[in-house]
Amino acid sequence: GAGVSQSPSNKVTEKGKDVELRCDPISGHTALYWYRQSLGQGLEFLIYFQGNSAPDKSGLPSDRFSAERTGGSVSTLTIQRTQQEDSAVYLCASSLGTGGSGTQYFGPGTRLLVL
Amino acid sequence: AQSVTQLGSHVSVSEGALVLLRCNYSSSVPPYLFWYVQYPNQGLQLLLKYTSAATLVKGINGFEAEFKKSETSFHLTKPSAHMSDAAEYFCAVRLSNFGNEKLTFGTGTRLTIIP
């Protein structure tokens, strides 16, 4: 079956612009996660959703970052007023549910470059 | 709280030789432990996971890892390296208590295979 998909695969933007990154989880997966992978910080957790609610937003680095999930499926990560330090690969993952030892399945990522 | 330390950011082994990638963790409660592999410009793929059942875990592509509580380690091994094993490997930990869903990753080990 189809895996986690993310769009766009690459995004180049100018400092100060807003960007939206999209994630389509595996069908039937109720949990969805956003991570960021950067040279300086490695792989960092940003936020996760169970259904449409986000019980843990502790990894969002600033109030310029927000995410939503509608219909328990697609999620959008929005970065407002982008800064050069936001340049990174943004990875989305999904899992069947929360709790237990469930596997998180990752998408290919969106590579964001802020000029 | 939880953390992961991967010793050796770069490891080189000859084709056919033993692969050993080290991972040590700290966790305030019993952990779930994971090894993921990342090929260039791709997302993360699960190799194997420890979920408090057997301490020796077998994964895909001939990899295995042993959970050693006394040493707080979860090292990844493969008896005979193949050229196709060249990639970056990430160890990750997740707390097993309810409500803790985020994966905390190590900084990664880049594996190079020498022909």
Side-chain angles (χ1 to χ4, degrees):
Chain A
V4 177
S5 60
Q6 294 185 244
S7 61
S9 53
N10 291 280
K11 176 72 176 179
V12 181
T13 190
E14 294 179 349
K15 178 181 172 181
K17 298 285 179 103
D18 297 352
V19 295
E20 285 190 352
L21 312 180
R22 177 188 167 105
C23 172
D24 274 279
I26 293 171
S27 178
H29 281 195
T30 61
L32 185 148
Y33 312 79
W34 284 98
Y35 293 85
R36 179 169 72 172
Q37 185 174 24
S38 60
L39 282 177
Q41 302 298 323
L43 270 158
E44 307 171 277
F45 167 81
L46 297 177
I47 185 172
Y48 94 91
F49 291 89
Q50 174 56 43
N52 292 336
S53 65
D56 188 350
K57 306 178 184 179
S58 63
L60 294 178
S62 76
D63 58 8
R64 296 187 295 105
F65 287 72
S66 63
E68 64 175 14
R69 189 180 186 197
T70 54
S73 181
V74 171
S75 176
T76 302
L77 177 69
T78 301
I79 309 173
Q80 296 179 309
R81 305 181 303 282
T82 52
Q83 303 294 312
Q84 288 182 331
E85 61 262 29
D86 300 335
S87 296
V89 177
Y90 290 82
L91 293 168
C92 177
S94 69
S95 65
L96 269 175
T98 54
S101 57
T103 297
Q104 295 180 21
Y105 296 89
F106 283 80
T110 292
R111 189 174 299 272
L112 175 66
L113 178 60
V114 182
L115 300 177
Chain B
Q2 68 270 30
S3 67
V4 173
T5 301
Q6 290 184 243
L7 289 176
S9 58
H10 292 83
V11 170
S12 295
V13 301
S14 297
E15 191 175 13
L18 172 72
V19 175
L20 170 61
L21 305 182
R22 299 180 185 274
C23 173
N24 288 87
Y25 70 92
S26 72
S27 173
S28 53
V29 301
Y32 297 128
L33 294 159
F34 305 80
W35 275 100
Y36 282 86
V37 60
Q38 187 176 36
Y39 298 100
N41 299 315
Q42 295 187 26
L44 299 168
Q45 180 182 5
L46 181 71
L47 278 177
L48 49 79
K49 64 181 181 181
Y50 166 75
T51 62
S52 76
T55 56
L56 182 62
V57 181
K58 294 187 184 299
I60 62 172
N61 301 339
F63 284 94
E64 63 182 38
E66 185 172 9
F67 173 71
K68 292 187 177 181
K69 183 178 178 180
S70 61
E71 298 177 8
T72 60
S73 69
F74 190 57
H75 301 330
L76 182 71
T77 60
K78 181 174 180 177
S80 176
H82 294 167
M83 295 300 296
S84 59
D85 295 328
E88 190 148 22
Y89 292 79
F90 292 92
C91 182
V93 63
R94 210 185 90 213
L95 299 182
S96 60
N97 53 325
F98 181 77
N100 282 285
E101 300 296 331
K102 67 178 182 182
L103 289 171
T104 298
F105 289 89
T107 51
T109 297
R110 184 169 300 279
L111 177 64
T112 299
I113 310 298
I114 303 165

